[in-house]
C-alpha cells in the first residue's frame, strides 16, 4: 500500500506519516465517511440496476394485469363516441369502472371530479384527451406520494465534519492508492439488510426467494435468514430457495429458537463474512395480534444492534386479491415497525389492480415490487408509468 500511487484529495485529510498498517487500524472519520458513501453508491446502483433491467420485462407486467385491464376496457367503450351532452353519464360510468377495479371511493371521486373540471373548462375536447388525462391523473398520484420505488440499500449517515458526499466518494476509484471497495471491506457497513413482514399466506417467503434470485443475477452475495420460527415448512421452503438461487442461509435447528435470535445471527454473519445483502424472513402474523406485532419490534431492534443503520428496507408483503382490505393491514404494520415499501403479490389473479394506487395514496409509502405470476422472474420492480400503461387497454 505504501508504494501505491496517491491522489491529492482536497476534501480528505492530508496523507498521514504513520505506517500503513496503523492507518488501517485507526481510520479518520473522513475515511470512514468516504467508505460509507462509496458503499451507499454501490447499493444505490444495485437497486437501480434491478429496476432498469426489469423494464425489458414489460410484457410480464402487461400480462399480469390482464384481469384489471379487462375491467377497465369499458373506458374505451365509454369514450369512443363521447360527446359533451353525455358528459355526466359517461363520467358516472367511468367512476363505477374505477370503483370495481378497487381504486377506492376517495381516488375515484377525485379523478372524476378533475376530469369534469377539465371538460367544463374546455381543456378536454375528445375521448382520446379524456383517457390521456385519466392516465395522467393516476400516474401523478403514484409518483407524488410513492416516488422512491427503487430499493434504498445504501446507508445514509456519515459524520457532518467529513464534508464528503456520495457523488464525491463514488466518483473516485482510488483513495490514497486503496480501492474504495477494499476500504469498505474493513470499515464499511455491509451488508444491506432487508426485512420481509406480512400476514399469513401473503407470499413473504416466496417473495424473499424471488428477491434473492434478482440480487444473485446482479452478482450480489446473498444470505437468507429463516426468521419464520413458527412454521417449520417455511424453513424448508427457504432452504429450497437458497439452493435454487445459490444463496447461503442461516437456520436455527433449535425448535425453541426465537426469530430475533435467528435474525441477529444472520446479520452478524453477513457482516463478518462480507455478504452484500441479508434477506430476513419473518413469521406471518395478523395485524390485530398485539403480541406477535411486538415481536417484529424486537426483530428490528436486534438487527439495528447487530448492524447500526439496519434494516435498510422493511418491506410489507400484501396479497393483491384482498383489494382495499389490505389498507388496514398496511396501516397497522406501518405504525408498529415503520414500513419503507410494499410488495403486492398475486395481482395476476385479480381484477382489483387499482388497490396499488389506493395503498400508495393512503399511506404515502411506495410500492417496490409487484407479483404478476408464479415464475421466479415474475416479481417485478414497480414502475408507475409501466403500471398505468398495463392496466388500460
Amino acid at each position: 500500500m505504501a508504494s501505491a500511487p496517491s491522489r491529492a484529495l482536497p476534501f480528505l485529510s492530508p496523507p498521514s506519516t504513520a505506517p500503513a498498517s496503523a492507518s488501517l487500524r485507526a481510520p479518520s472519520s473522513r475515511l470512514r465517511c468516504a467508505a460509507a458513501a462509496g458503499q451507499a453508491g454501490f447499493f444505490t446502483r444495485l437497486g437501480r440496476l434491478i429496476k432498469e433491467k426489469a423494464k425489458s420485462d414489460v410484457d410480464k407486467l402487461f400480462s399480469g394485469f390482464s384481469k384489471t385491464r379487462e375491467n377497465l376496457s369499458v373506458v374505451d367503450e365509454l369514450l369512443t363516441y363521447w360527446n359533451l351532452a353525455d358528459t355526466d353519464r359517461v363520467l358516472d360510468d367511468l367512476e363505477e369502472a374505477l370503483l370495481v377495479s378497487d381504486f377506492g371511493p376517495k381516488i375515484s371521486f377525485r379523478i372524476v371530479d378533475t376530469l369534469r373540471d377539465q371538460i367544463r373548462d374546455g381543456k378536454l375536447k375528445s375521448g382520446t384527451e379524456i383517457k390521456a388525462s385519466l392516465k395522467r391523473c393516476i400516474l401523478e398520484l403514484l409518483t407524488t406520494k410513492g416516488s422512491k420505488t427503487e430499493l434504498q440499500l445504501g446507508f445514509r449517515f456519515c459524520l457532518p465534519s467529513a464534508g464528503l458526499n456520495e457523488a464525491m466518494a463514488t466518483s473516485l476509484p482510488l483513495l490514497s492508492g486503496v480501492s474504495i471497495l477494499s476500504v469498505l471491506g474493513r470499515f464499511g457497513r455491509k451488508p444491506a439488510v432487508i426485512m420481509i413482514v406480512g400476514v399469513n399466506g401473503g407470499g413473504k417467503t416466496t417473495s424473499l426467494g424471488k428477491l434473492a434470485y434478482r440480487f444473485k443475477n446482479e452478482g450480489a452475495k446473498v444470505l437468507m435468514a429463516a426468521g419464520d420460527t413458527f412454521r417449520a415448512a417455511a424453513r424448508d421452503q427457504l432452504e429450497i430457495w437458497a439452493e435454487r438461487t445459490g444463496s447461503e442461509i442461516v437456520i436455527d435447528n433449535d425448535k425453541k429458537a426465537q426469530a430475533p435470535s435467528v435474525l441477529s445471527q444472520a446479520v452478524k454473519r453477513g457482516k463478518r463474512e462480507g455478504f452484500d445483502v441479508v434477506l430476513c424472513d419473518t413469521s406471518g402474523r395478523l395485524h390485530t395480534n398485539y403480541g406477535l406485532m411486538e415481536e417484529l419490534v424486537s426483530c428490528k431492534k436486534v438487527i439495528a444492534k447487530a448492524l447500526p443503520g439496519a434494516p435498510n428496507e422493511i418491506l410489507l408483503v400484501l396479497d393483491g386479491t384482498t383489494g382495499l382490505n389490505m389498507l388496514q393491514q398496511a396501516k397497522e404494520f406501518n405504525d408498529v415497525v415503520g414500513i419503507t415499501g410494499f410488495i403486492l403479490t398475486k395481482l395476476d389473479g385479480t381484477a382489483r389492480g387499482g388497490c396499488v394506487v389506493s395503498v400508495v395514496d393512503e399511506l404515502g409509502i411506495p410500492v417496490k415490487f409487484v407479483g404478476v405470476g408464479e415464475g421466479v422472474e415474475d416479481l417485478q420492480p414497480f414502475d408507475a408509468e409501466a403500471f398505468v400503461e398495463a392496466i388500460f387497454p
Side-chain angles (χ1 to χ4, degrees), residues 259-294:
S261 172
V262 176
L263 300 188
S264 178
Q265 291 176 44
V267 173
K268 288 176 181 177
R269 178 182 167 186
K271 185 177 179 181
R272 184 175 63 249
E273 299 182 15
F275 282 88
D276 295 310
V277 181
V278 176
L279 298 173
C280 298
D281 195 15
T282 59
S283 301
R285 63 206 69 219
L286 291 175
H287 55 286
T288 53
N289 189 317
Y290 178 79
L292 290 179
M293 292 295 282
E294 283 301 303

PDB file of all heavy atoms in Angstrom, residues 259-294:
ATOM      1  N   ALA A 259     -37.293 -15.767  16.696  1.00  0.00           N
ATOM      2  CA  ALA A 259     -36.946 -15.054  15.464  1.00  0.00           C
ATOM      3  C   ALA A 259     -35.857 -14.002  15.673  1.00  0.00           C
ATOM      4  O   ALA A 259     -34.913 -13.916  14.868  1.00  0.00           O
ATOM      5  CB  ALA A 259     -38.201 -14.416  14.871  1.00  0.00           C
ATOM      6  N   PRO A 260     -35.905 -13.163  16.729  1.00  0.00           N
ATOM      7  CA  PRO A 260     -34.853 -12.159  16.905  1.00  0.00           C
ATOM      8  C   PRO A 260     -33.450 -12.766  16.981  1.00  0.00           C
ATOM      9  O   PRO A 260     -32.496 -12.204  16.443  1.00  0.00           O
ATOM     10  CB  PRO A 260     -35.231 -11.476  18.225  1.00  0.00           C
ATOM     11  CG  PRO A 260     -36.714 -11.648  18.319  1.00  0.00           C
ATOM     12  CD  PRO A 260     -36.971 -13.018  17.745  1.00  0.00           C
ATOM     13  N   SER A 261     -33.356 -13.945  17.620  1.00  0.00           N
ATOM     14  CA  SER A 261     -32.055 -14.613  17.728  1.00  0.00           C
ATOM     15  C   SER A 261     -31.537 -15.037  16.361  1.00  0.00           C
ATOM     16  O   SER A 261     -30.354 -14.844  16.039  1.00  0.00           O
ATOM     17  CB  SER A 261     -32.180 -15.834  18.644  1.00  0.00           C
ATOM     18  OG  SER A 261     -30.988 -16.596  18.622  1.00  0.00           O
ATOM     19  N   VAL A 262     -32.396 -15.610  15.540  1.00  0.00           N
ATOM     20  CA  VAL A 262     -32.002 -16.065  14.205  1.00  0.00           C
ATOM     21  C   VAL A 262     -31.559 -14.881  13.343  1.00  0.00           C
ATOM     22  O   VAL A 262     -30.526 -14.937  12.663  1.00  0.00           O
ATOM     23  CB  VAL A 262     -33.158 -16.809  13.518  1.00  0.00           C
ATOM     24  CG1 VAL A 262     -32.772 -17.202  12.085  1.00  0.00           C
ATOM     25  CG2 VAL A 262     -33.534 -18.059  14.314  1.00  0.00           C
ATOM     26  N   LEU A 263     -32.322 -13.801  13.372  1.00  0.00           N
ATOM     27  CA  LEU A 263     -32.001 -12.638  12.548  1.00  0.00           C
ATOM     28  C   LEU A 263     -30.708 -11.985  13.004  1.00  0.00           C
ATOM     29  O   LEU A 263     -29.906 -11.526  12.181  1.00  0.00           O
ATOM     30  CB  LEU A 263     -33.149 -11.632  12.582  1.00  0.00           C
ATOM     31  CG  LEU A 263     -34.505 -12.137  12.080  1.00  0.00           C
ATOM     32  CD1 LEU A 263     -35.502 -10.989  11.971  1.00  0.00           C
ATOM     33  CD2 LEU A 263     -34.372 -12.850  10.741  1.00  0.00           C
ATOM     34  N   SER A 264     -30.496 -11.939  14.315  1.00  0.00           N
ATOM     35  CA  SER A 264     -29.252 -11.374  14.834  1.00  0.00           C
ATOM     36  C   SER A 264     -28.044 -12.181  14.370  1.00  0.00           C
ATOM     37  O   SER A 264     -27.023 -11.623  13.928  1.00  0.00           O
ATOM     38  CB  SER A 264     -29.297 -11.335  16.369  1.00  0.00           C
ATOM     39  OG  SER A 264     -28.084 -10.844  16.893  1.00  0.00           O
ATOM     40  N   GLN A 265     -28.152 -13.503  14.457  1.00  0.00           N
ATOM     41  CA  GLN A 265     -27.067 -14.367  13.978  1.00  0.00           C
ATOM     42  C   GLN A 265     -26.766 -14.125  12.502  1.00  0.00           C
ATOM     43  O   GLN A 265     -25.615 -14.060  12.086  1.00  0.00           O
ATOM     44  CB  GLN A 265     -27.452 -15.840  14.170  1.00  0.00           C
ATOM     45  CG  GLN A 265     -27.517 -16.327  15.604  1.00  0.00           C
ATOM     46  CD  GLN A 265     -27.992 -17.775  15.665  1.00  0.00           C
ATOM     47  OE1 GLN A 265     -27.545 -18.626  14.892  1.00  0.00           O
ATOM     48  NE2 GLN A 265     -28.920 -18.060  16.562  1.00  0.00           N
ATOM     49  N   ALA A 266     -27.833 -13.992  11.718  1.00  0.00           N
ATOM     50  CA  ALA A 266     -27.660 -13.823  10.275  1.00  0.00           C
ATOM     51  C   ALA A 266     -26.969 -12.508   9.942  1.00  0.00           C
ATOM     52  O   ALA A 266     -26.049 -12.469   9.111  1.00  0.00           O
ATOM     53  CB  ALA A 266     -29.025 -13.887   9.583  1.00  0.00           C
ATOM     54  N   VAL A 267     -27.393 -11.435  10.582  1.00  0.00           N
ATOM     55  CA  VAL A 267     -26.794 -10.125  10.287  1.00  0.00           C
ATOM     56  C   VAL A 267     -25.329 -10.109  10.717  1.00  0.00           C
ATOM     57  O   VAL A 267     -24.461  -9.579   9.996  1.00  0.00           O
ATOM     58  CB  VAL A 267     -27.594  -9.005  10.981  1.00  0.00           C
ATOM     59  CG1 VAL A 267     -26.882  -7.660  10.813  1.00  0.00           C
ATOM     60  CG2 VAL A 267     -29.004  -8.922  10.404  1.00  0.00           C
ATOM     61  N   LYS A 268     -25.030 -10.696  11.867  1.00  0.00           N
ATOM     62  CA  LYS A 268     -23.637 -10.748  12.331  1.00  0.00           C
ATOM     63  C   LYS A 268     -22.779 -11.569  11.371  1.00  0.00           C
ATOM     64  O   LYS A 268     -21.649 -11.201  11.060  1.00  0.00           O
ATOM     65  CB  LYS A 268     -23.572 -11.350  13.739  1.00  0.00           C
ATOM     66  CG  LYS A 268     -24.114 -10.419  14.811  1.00  0.00           C
ATOM     67  CD  LYS A 268     -24.129 -11.089  16.178  1.00  0.00           C
ATOM     68  CE  LYS A 268     -24.696 -10.159  17.237  1.00  0.00           C
ATOM     69  NZ  LYS A 268     -24.786 -10.829  18.572  1.00  0.00           N
ATOM     70  N   ARG A 269     -23.334 -12.673  10.888  1.00  0.00           N
ATOM     71  CA  ARG A 269     -22.584 -13.482   9.919  1.00  0.00           C
ATOM     72  C   ARG A 269     -22.420 -12.721   8.601  1.00  0.00           C
ATOM     73  O   ARG A 269     -21.348 -12.756   7.990  1.00  0.00           O
ATOM     74  CB  ARG A 269     -23.307 -14.803   9.659  1.00  0.00           C
ATOM     75  CG  ARG A 269     -22.582 -15.662   8.624  1.00  0.00           C
ATOM     76  CD  ARG A 269     -23.314 -16.951   8.311  1.00  0.00           C
ATOM     77  NE  ARG A 269     -22.750 -17.581   7.121  1.00  0.00           N
ATOM     78  CZ  ARG A 269     -23.239 -18.657   6.536  1.00  0.00           C
ATOM     79  NH1 ARG A 269     -24.311 -19.259   7.042  1.00  0.00           N
ATOM     80  NH2 ARG A 269     -22.667 -19.158   5.449  1.00  0.00           N
ATOM     81  N   GLY A 270     -23.474 -12.037   8.192  1.00  0.00           N
ATOM     82  CA  GLY A 270     -23.395 -11.259   6.959  1.00  0.00           C
ATOM     83  C   GLY A 270     -22.297 -10.213   7.028  1.00  0.00           C
ATOM     84  O   GLY A 270     -21.559  -9.994   6.059  1.00  0.00           O
ATOM     85  N   LYS A 271     -22.181  -9.577   8.164  1.00  0.00           N
ATOM     86  CA  LYS A 271     -21.148  -8.552   8.361  1.00  0.00           C
ATOM     87  C   LYS A 271     -19.760  -9.187   8.432  1.00  0.00           C
ATOM     88  O   LYS A 271     -18.800  -8.699   7.826  1.00  0.00           O
ATOM     89  CB  LYS A 271     -21.448  -7.793   9.653  1.00  0.00           C
ATOM     90  CG  LYS A 271     -20.526  -6.617   9.924  1.00  0.00           C
ATOM     91  CD  LYS A 271     -20.959  -5.898  11.197  1.00  0.00           C
ATOM     92  CE  LYS A 271     -20.030  -4.721  11.486  1.00  0.00           C
ATOM     93  NZ  LYS A 271     -20.427  -4.018  12.734  1.00  0.00           N
ATOM     94  N   ARG A 272     -19.674 -10.306   9.141  1.00  0.00           N
ATOM     95  CA  ARG A 272     -18.388 -10.979   9.355  1.00  0.00           C
ATOM     96  C   ARG A 272     -17.831 -11.566   8.062  1.00  0.00           C
ATOM     97  O   ARG A 272     -16.629 -11.507   7.803  1.00  0.00           O
ATOM     98  CB  ARG A 272     -18.579 -12.079  10.407  1.00  0.00           C
ATOM     99  CG  ARG A 272     -17.291 -12.807  10.793  1.00  0.00           C
ATOM    100  CD  ARG A 272     -17.566 -13.787  11.927  1.00  0.00           C
ATOM    101  NE  ARG A 272     -18.504 -14.848  11.570  1.00  0.00           N
ATOM    102  CZ  ARG A 272     -19.718 -14.962  12.067  1.00  0.00           C
ATOM    103  NH1 ARG A 272     -20.186 -14.074  12.932  1.00  0.00           N
ATOM    104  NH2 ARG A 272     -20.505 -15.970  11.690  1.00  0.00           N
ATOM    105  N   GLU A 273     -18.711 -12.119   7.225  1.00  0.00           N
ATOM    106  CA  GLU A 273     -18.258 -12.830   6.033  1.00  0.00           C
ATOM    107  C   GLU A 273     -18.402 -12.025   4.744  1.00  0.00           C
ATOM    108  O   GLU A 273     -18.221 -12.558   3.644  1.00  0.00           O
ATOM    109  CB  GLU A 273     -19.010 -14.165   5.920  1.00  0.00           C
ATOM    110  CG  GLU A 273     -18.764 -15.087   7.106  1.00  0.00           C
ATOM    111  CD  GLU A 273     -19.472 -16.433   6.969  1.00  0.00           C
ATOM    112  OE1 GLU A 273     -19.908 -16.759   5.830  1.00  0.00           O
ATOM    113  OE2 GLU A 273     -19.594 -17.143   7.981  1.00  0.00           O
ATOM    114  N   GLY A 274     -18.752 -10.755   4.858  1.00  0.00           N
ATOM    115  CA  GLY A 274     -18.751  -9.876   3.695  1.00  0.00           C
ATOM    116  C   GLY A 274     -19.879 -10.101   2.702  1.00  0.00           C
ATOM    117  O   GLY A 274     -19.694  -9.919   1.502  1.00  0.00           O
ATOM    118  N   PHE A 275     -21.059 -10.483   3.194  1.00  0.00           N
ATOM    119  CA  PHE A 275     -22.203 -10.604   2.293  1.00  0.00           C
ATOM    120  C   PHE A 275     -22.674  -9.216   1.873  1.00  0.00           C
ATOM    121  O   PHE A 275     -22.542  -8.243   2.620  1.00  0.00           O
ATOM    122  CB  PHE A 275     -23.347 -11.358   2.985  1.00  0.00           C
ATOM    123  CG  PHE A 275     -23.140 -12.842   3.034  1.00  0.00           C
ATOM    124  CD1 PHE A 275     -22.438 -13.428   4.080  1.00  0.00           C
ATOM    125  CD2 PHE A 275     -23.640 -13.656   2.022  1.00  0.00           C
ATOM    126  CE1 PHE A 275     -22.236 -14.802   4.124  1.00  0.00           C
ATOM    127  CE2 PHE A 275     -23.446 -15.031   2.058  1.00  0.00           C
ATOM    128  CZ  PHE A 275     -22.736 -15.612   3.111  1.00  0.00           C
ATOM    129  N   ASP A 276     -23.232  -9.127   0.679  1.00  0.00           N
ATOM    130  CA  ASP A 276     -23.755  -7.850   0.187  1.00  0.00           C
ATOM    131  C   ASP A 276     -25.152  -7.567   0.719  1.00  0.00           C
ATOM    132  O   ASP A 276     -25.478  -6.427   1.055  1.00  0.00           O
ATOM    133  CB  ASP A 276     -23.803  -7.840  -1.347  1.00  0.00           C
ATOM    134  CG  ASP A 276     -22.425  -7.929  -1.956  1.00  0.00           C
ATOM    135  OD1 ASP A 276     -21.554  -7.144  -1.542  1.00  0.00           O
ATOM    136  OD2 ASP A 276     -22.214  -8.795  -2.836  1.00  0.00           O
ATOM    137  N   VAL A 277     -25.984  -8.616   0.778  1.00  0.00           N
ATOM    138  CA  VAL A 277     -27.380  -8.452   1.170  1.00  0.00           C
ATOM    139  C   VAL A 277     -27.789  -9.577   2.113  1.00  0.00           C
ATOM    140  O   VAL A 277     -27.469 -10.743   1.869  1.00  0.00           O
ATOM    141  CB  VAL A 277     -28.319  -8.463  -0.065  1.00  0.00           C
ATOM    142  CG1 VAL A 277     -29.774  -8.264   0.361  1.00  0.00           C
ATOM    143  CG2 VAL A 277     -27.915  -7.396  -1.079  1.00  0.00           C
ATOM    144  N   VAL A 278     -28.485  -9.215   3.182  1.00  0.00           N
ATOM    145  CA  VAL A 278     -29.112 -10.201   4.068  1.00  0.00           C
ATOM    146  C   VAL A 278     -30.619 -10.021   3.960  1.00  0.00           C
ATOM    147  O   VAL A 278     -31.150  -8.932   4.195  1.00  0.00           O
ATOM    148  CB  VAL A 278     -28.677 -10.029   5.535  1.00  0.00           C
ATOM    149  CG1 VAL A 278     -29.431 -11.015   6.433  1.00  0.00           C
ATOM    150  CG2 VAL A 278     -27.173 -10.244   5.677  1.00  0.00           C
ATOM    151  N   LEU A 279     -31.311 -11.091   3.576  1.00  0.00           N
ATOM    152  CA  LEU A 279     -32.763 -11.075   3.437  1.00  0.00           C
ATOM    153  C   LEU A 279     -33.381 -11.803   4.632  1.00  0.00           C
ATOM    154  O   LEU A 279     -33.144 -12.996   4.819  1.00  0.00           O
ATOM    155  CB  LEU A 279     -33.182 -11.757   2.128  1.00  0.00           C
ATOM    156  CG  LEU A 279     -32.667 -11.104   0.844  1.00  0.00           C
ATOM    157  CD1 LEU A 279     -33.019 -11.972  -0.366  1.00  0.00           C
ATOM    158  CD2 LEU A 279     -33.240  -9.707   0.683  1.00  0.00           C
ATOM    159  N   CYS A 280     -34.138 -11.082   5.429  1.00  0.00           N
ATOM    160  CA  CYS A 280     -34.667 -11.626   6.684  1.00  0.00           C
ATOM    161  C   CYS A 280     -36.145 -11.986   6.559  1.00  0.00           C
ATOM    162  O   CYS A 280     -36.999 -11.089   6.407  1.00  0.00           O
ATOM    163  CB  CYS A 280     -34.494 -10.606   7.801  1.00  0.00           C
ATOM    164  SG  CYS A 280     -32.771 -10.167   8.149  1.00  0.00           S
ATOM    165  N   ASP A 281     -36.448 -13.261   6.638  1.00  0.00           N
ATOM    166  CA  ASP A 281     -37.834 -13.724   6.639  1.00  0.00           C
ATOM    167  C   ASP A 281     -38.383 -13.606   8.054  1.00  0.00           C
ATOM    168  O   ASP A 281     -37.634 -13.696   9.038  1.00  0.00           O
ATOM    169  CB  ASP A 281     -37.886 -15.180   6.166  1.00  0.00           C
ATOM    170  CG  ASP A 281     -39.291 -15.631   5.796  1.00  0.00           C
ATOM    171  OD1 ASP A 281     -40.154 -14.757   5.629  1.00  0.00           O
ATOM    172  OD2 ASP A 281     -39.503 -16.845   5.658  1.00  0.00           O
ATOM    173  N   THR A 282     -39.678 -13.397   8.178  1.00  0.00           N
ATOM    174  CA  THR A 282     -40.320 -13.347   9.494  1.00  0.00           C
ATOM    175  C   THR A 282     -41.613 -14.164   9.437  1.00  0.00           C
ATOM    176  O   THR A 282     -42.118 -14.465   8.365  1.00  0.00           O
ATOM    177  CB  THR A 282     -40.663 -11.902   9.917  1.00  0.00           C
ATOM    178  OG1 THR A 282     -41.543 -11.327   8.954  1.00  0.00           O
ATOM    179  CG2 THR A 282     -39.405 -11.052  10.041  1.00  0.00           C
ATOM    180  N   SER A 283     -42.124 -14.480  10.605  1.00  0.00           N
ATOM    181  CA  SER A 283     -43.355 -15.266  10.667  1.00  0.00           C
ATOM    182  C   SER A 283     -44.544 -14.416  10.261  1.00  0.00           C
ATOM    183  O   SER A 283     -44.606 -13.222  10.574  1.00  0.00           O
ATOM    184  CB  SER A 283     -43.571 -15.781  12.092  1.00  0.00           C
ATOM    185  OG  SER A 283     -42.481 -16.592  12.501  1.00  0.00           O
ATOM    186  N   GLY A 284     -45.511 -15.069   9.574  1.00  0.00           N
ATOM    187  CA  GLY A 284     -46.747 -14.374   9.243  1.00  0.00           C
ATOM    188  C   GLY A 284     -47.549 -14.135  10.507  1.00  0.00           C
ATOM    189  O   GLY A 284     -47.553 -14.949  11.427  1.00  0.00           O
ATOM    190  N   ARG A 285     -48.204 -12.989  10.556  1.00  0.00           N
ATOM    191  CA  ARG A 285     -48.975 -12.660  11.755  1.00  0.00           C
ATOM    192  C   ARG A 285     -50.141 -11.751  11.380  1.00  0.00           C
ATOM    193  O   ARG A 285     -50.036 -10.941  10.452  1.00  0.00           O
ATOM    194  CB  ARG A 285     -48.091 -11.979  12.796  1.00  0.00           C
ATOM    195  CG  ARG A 285     -47.531 -10.646  12.344  1.00  0.00           C
ATOM    196  CD  ARG A 285     -46.245 -10.327  13.057  1.00  0.00           C
ATOM    197  NE  ARG A 285     -45.182 -11.233  12.626  1.00  0.00           N
ATOM    198  CZ  ARG A 285     -44.265 -11.737  13.451  1.00  0.00           C
ATOM    199  NH1 ARG A 285     -44.288 -11.446  14.728  1.00  0.00           N
ATOM    200  NH2 ARG A 285     -43.336 -12.548  12.998  1.00  0.00           N
ATOM    201  N   LEU A 286     -51.239 -11.898  12.099  1.00  0.00           N
ATOM    202  CA  LEU A 286     -52.356 -10.995  11.893  1.00  0.00           C
ATOM    203  C   LEU A 286     -52.023  -9.645  12.502  1.00  0.00           C
ATOM    204  O   LEU A 286     -51.439  -9.568  13.601  1.00  0.00           O
ATOM    205  CB  LEU A 286     -53.625 -11.557  12.532  1.00  0.00           C
ATOM    206  CG  LEU A 286     -54.227 -12.802  11.858  1.00  0.00           C
ATOM    207  CD1 LEU A 286     -55.404 -13.319  12.687  1.00  0.00           C
ATOM    208  CD2 LEU A 286     -54.680 -12.466  10.443  1.00  0.00           C
ATOM    209  N   HIS A 287     -52.394  -8.594  11.819  1.00  0.00           N
ATOM    210  CA  HIS A 287     -52.080  -7.249  12.302  1.00  0.00           C
ATOM    211  C   HIS A 287     -52.853  -6.910  13.573  1.00  0.00           C
ATOM    212  O   HIS A 287     -52.543  -5.921  14.246  1.00  0.00           O
ATOM    213  CB  HIS A 287     -52.395  -6.212  11.212  1.00  0.00           C
ATOM    214  CG  HIS A 287     -53.792  -6.277  10.696  1.00  0.00           C
ATOM    215  ND1 HIS A 287     -54.234  -7.274   9.854  1.00  0.00           N
ATOM    216  CD2 HIS A 287     -54.866  -5.479  10.919  1.00  0.00           C
ATOM    217  CE1 HIS A 287     -55.512  -7.070   9.575  1.00  0.00           C
ATOM    218  NE2 HIS A 287     -55.919  -5.991  10.198  1.00  0.00           N
ATOM    219  N   THR A 288     -53.840  -7.738  13.919  1.00  0.00           N
ATOM    220  CA  THR A 288     -54.625  -7.498  15.131  1.00  0.00           C
ATOM    221  C   THR A 288     -54.040  -8.199  16.359  1.00  0.00           C
ATOM    222  O   THR A 288     -54.533  -7.993  17.471  1.00  0.00           O
ATOM    223  CB  THR A 288     -56.064  -8.010  14.924  1.00  0.00           C
ATOM    224  OG1 THR A 288     -56.016  -9.375  14.484  1.00  0.00           O
ATOM    225  CG2 THR A 288     -56.772  -7.179  13.864  1.00  0.00           C
ATOM    226  N   ASN A 289     -52.985  -9.023  16.174  1.00  0.00           N
ATOM    227  CA  ASN A 289     -52.373  -9.745  17.288  1.00  0.00           C
ATOM    228  C   ASN A 289     -51.235  -8.903  17.873  1.00  0.00           C
ATOM    229  O   ASN A 289     -50.134  -8.837  17.325  1.00  0.00           O
ATOM    230  CB  ASN A 289     -51.846 -11.098  16.806  1.00  0.00           C
ATOM    231  CG  ASN A 289     -51.396 -11.987  17.955  1.00  0.00           C
ATOM    232  OD1 ASN A 289     -50.738 -11.544  18.884  1.00  0.00           O
ATOM    233  ND2 ASN A 289     -51.755 -13.261  17.887  1.00  0.00           N
ATOM    234  N   TYR A 290     -51.516  -8.251  18.988  1.00  0.00           N
ATOM    235  CA  TYR A 290     -50.567  -7.300  19.573  1.00  0.00           C
ATOM    236  C   TYR A 290     -49.238  -7.953  19.927  1.00  0.00           C
ATOM    237  O   TYR A 290     -48.165  -7.415  19.650  1.00  0.00           O
ATOM    238  CB  TYR A 290     -51.182  -6.664  20.826  1.00  0.00           C
ATOM    239  CG  TYR A 290     -50.255  -5.693  21.519  1.00  0.00           C
ATOM    240  CD1 TYR A 290     -50.074  -4.399  21.034  1.00  0.00           C
ATOM    241  CD2 TYR A 290     -49.545  -6.085  22.661  1.00  0.00           C
ATOM    242  CE1 TYR A 290     -49.206  -3.520  21.667  1.00  0.00           C
ATOM    243  CE2 TYR A 290     -48.684  -5.208  23.302  1.00  0.00           C
ATOM    244  CZ  TYR A 290     -48.515  -3.935  22.803  1.00  0.00           C
ATOM    245  OH  TYR A 290     -47.656  -3.074  23.429  1.00  0.00           O
ATOM    246  N   GLY A 291     -49.293  -9.148  20.552  1.00  0.00           N
ATOM    247  CA  GLY A 291     -48.064  -9.815  20.982  1.00  0.00           C
ATOM    248  C   GLY A 291     -47.140 -10.133  19.818  1.00  0.00           C
ATOM    249  O   GLY A 291     -45.932  -9.900  19.886  1.00  0.00           O
ATOM    250  N   LEU A 292     -47.693 -10.678  18.745  1.00  0.00           N
ATOM    251  CA  LEU A 292     -46.878 -11.024  17.583  1.00  0.00           C
ATOM    252  C   LEU A 292     -46.359  -9.776  16.872  1.00  0.00           C
ATOM    253  O   LEU A 292     -45.249  -9.774  16.336  1.00  0.00           O
ATOM    254  CB  LEU A 292     -47.685 -11.888  16.612  1.00  0.00           C
ATOM    255  CG  LEU A 292     -48.002 -13.303  17.081  1.00  0.00           C
ATOM    256  CD1 LEU A 292     -48.819 -14.052  16.032  1.00  0.00           C
ATOM    257  CD2 LEU A 292     -46.724 -14.078  17.387  1.00  0.00           C
ATOM    258  N   MET A 293     -47.162  -8.724  16.855  1.00  0.00           N
ATOM    259  CA  MET A 293     -46.693  -7.482  16.239  1.00  0.00           C
ATOM    260  C   MET A 293     -45.521  -6.900  17.029  1.00  0.00           C
ATOM    261  O   MET A 293     -44.573  -6.359  16.456  1.00  0.00           O
ATOM    262  CB  MET A 293     -47.839  -6.471  16.155  1.00  0.00           C
ATOM    263  CG  MET A 293     -48.944  -6.864  15.183  1.00  0.00           C
ATOM    264  SD  MET A 293     -48.400  -6.925  13.459  1.00  0.00           S
ATOM    265  CE  MET A 293     -48.372  -5.183  13.063  1.00  0.00           C
ATOM    266  N   GLU A 294     -45.568  -7.036  18.345  1.00  0.00           N
ATOM    267  CA  GLU A 294     -44.465  -6.533  19.169  1.00  0.00           C
ATOM    268  C   GLU A 294     -43.184  -7.317  18.923  1.00  0.00           C
ATOM    269  O   GLU A 294     -42.083  -6.790  19.077  1.00  0.00           O
ATOM    270  CB  GLU A 294     -44.847  -6.602  20.655  1.00  0.00           C
ATOM    271  CG  GLU A 294     -45.785  -5.491  21.094  1.00  0.00           C
ATOM    272  CD  GLU A 294     -45.193  -4.111  20.870  1.00  0.00           C
ATOM    273  OE1 GLU A 294     -44.101  -3.846  21.394  1.00  0.00           O
ATOM    274  OE2 GLU A 294     -45.829  -3.308  20.152  1.00  0.00           O
TER     275      GLU A 294
END
